[in-house]
Amino acid sequence: LTEHEERDLTMNILAVGAHADDVELGAGGSLLKWARDGHSITIYTATKSAYRSPDGDLVRSAEVAANEASVAAEFIGADLITGPFECFQLDFGSTLNVALVDVVQSVRPDLVVSHWSGDTHPDHKGLASATLHACKHVPRILQYASNWYMSPSSFDARYHVDISETLEKKLELIKIYASENKRSGGKWLNYFR
């Protein structure tokens, strides 16, 4: 292929996640593979990703989340856009839809990857619905499962990306989120392996 033909085959890929680490958990191996293959990757994290435990203790600050997300985006070779929303406030509606439409118009993606609409986490579910709404003119939308929460339905993976060559890099990527690995006792690494 000529350089021009190769450029025509590259895609703008938009990875959408509610919180810093969602995209990396759900599609990190694919994003690493696609970046290696020359595609342009943009990550949109809708929230500032700070949150507290039910008893009010700070689990992760917005500053820690922003730093980890920035390092992770650089590790992938992706651009990072962080939204203005707070955790547990991603309700499907005009404010979220407008913000996401703005991102889609700016990135002009050929492919979008986002949360699975059957996810039971309220932020994931709200953002999945907003993504389907905001991306109705995008030619390809894939959804990922970023956790193992129980749900009324099972995640039905119909499209697979072979990440055997990027699995170890995905695990390195997950390790960047030290705040979440500490909170979860490293369960994410074992789950995704």
Side-chain angles (χ1 to χ4, degrees), residues 1-185:
L1 295 176
T2 68
E3 184 179 325
H4 177 72
E5 289 170 324
E6 283 183 16
R7 211 174 26 250
D8 286 346
L9 295 176
T10 61
M11 293 186 291
N12 284 335
I13 299 171
L14 175 61
V16 178
H19 316 104
D21 75 9
D22 286 340
V23 163
E24 294 82 354
L25 292 170
S30 299
L31 296 176
L32 287 160
K33 177 183 177 6
W34 293 331
R36 184 194 66 198
D37 291 347
H39 300 292
S40 175
I41 312 288
T42 302
I43 297 170
Y44 175 66
T45 301
T47 69
K48 296 181 235 173
S49 302
Y51 69 98
R52 295 182 177 277
S53 66
D55 60 4
D57 291 338
L58 184 65
V59 174
R60 179 168 66 176
S61 70
E63 294 77 23
V64 166
N67 182 59
E68 290 173 344
S70 178
V71 172
E74 186 175 331
F75 186 84
I76 293 170
D79 293 324
L80 175 65
I81 302 169
T82 303
F85 300 96
E86 300 296 331
C87 284
F88 306 109
Q89 295 183 8
L90 283 182
D91 298 321
F92 177 71
S94 61
T95 304
L96 179 57
N97 291 344
V98 167
L100 196 50
V101 165
D102 287 346
V103 171
V104 170
Q105 288 177 342
S106 172
V107 173
R108 303 182 58 78
D110 302 296
L111 168 66
V112 172
V113 294
S114 183
H115 291 283
W116 168 49
S117 14
D119 195 314
T120 57
H121 189 298
D123 283 350
H124 298 179
K125 193 170 192 64
L127 188 58
S129 295
T131 300
L132 291 173
H133 173 77
C135 298
K136 58 185 166 227
H137 299 296
V138 175
R140 287 172 285 289
I141 301 171
L142 299 176
Q143 296 183 329
Y144 58 81
S146 60
N147 56 49
W148 61 79
Y149 302 143
M150 295 302 292
S151 178
S153 59
S154 297
F155 182 69
D156 181 14
R158 297 179 188 174
Y159 181 84
H160 297 270
V161 176
D162 180 357
I163 65 165
S164 54
E165 293 181 15
T166 56
L167 176 60
E168 294 305 319
K169 287 282 190 192
K170 175 177 177 158
L171 297 175
E172 288 178 46
L173 181 61
I174 292 170
K175 287 178 186 176
I176 291 170
Y177 288 95
S179 62
E180 282 299 292
N181 283 302
K182 180 181 176 186
R183 180 192 67 80
S184 70

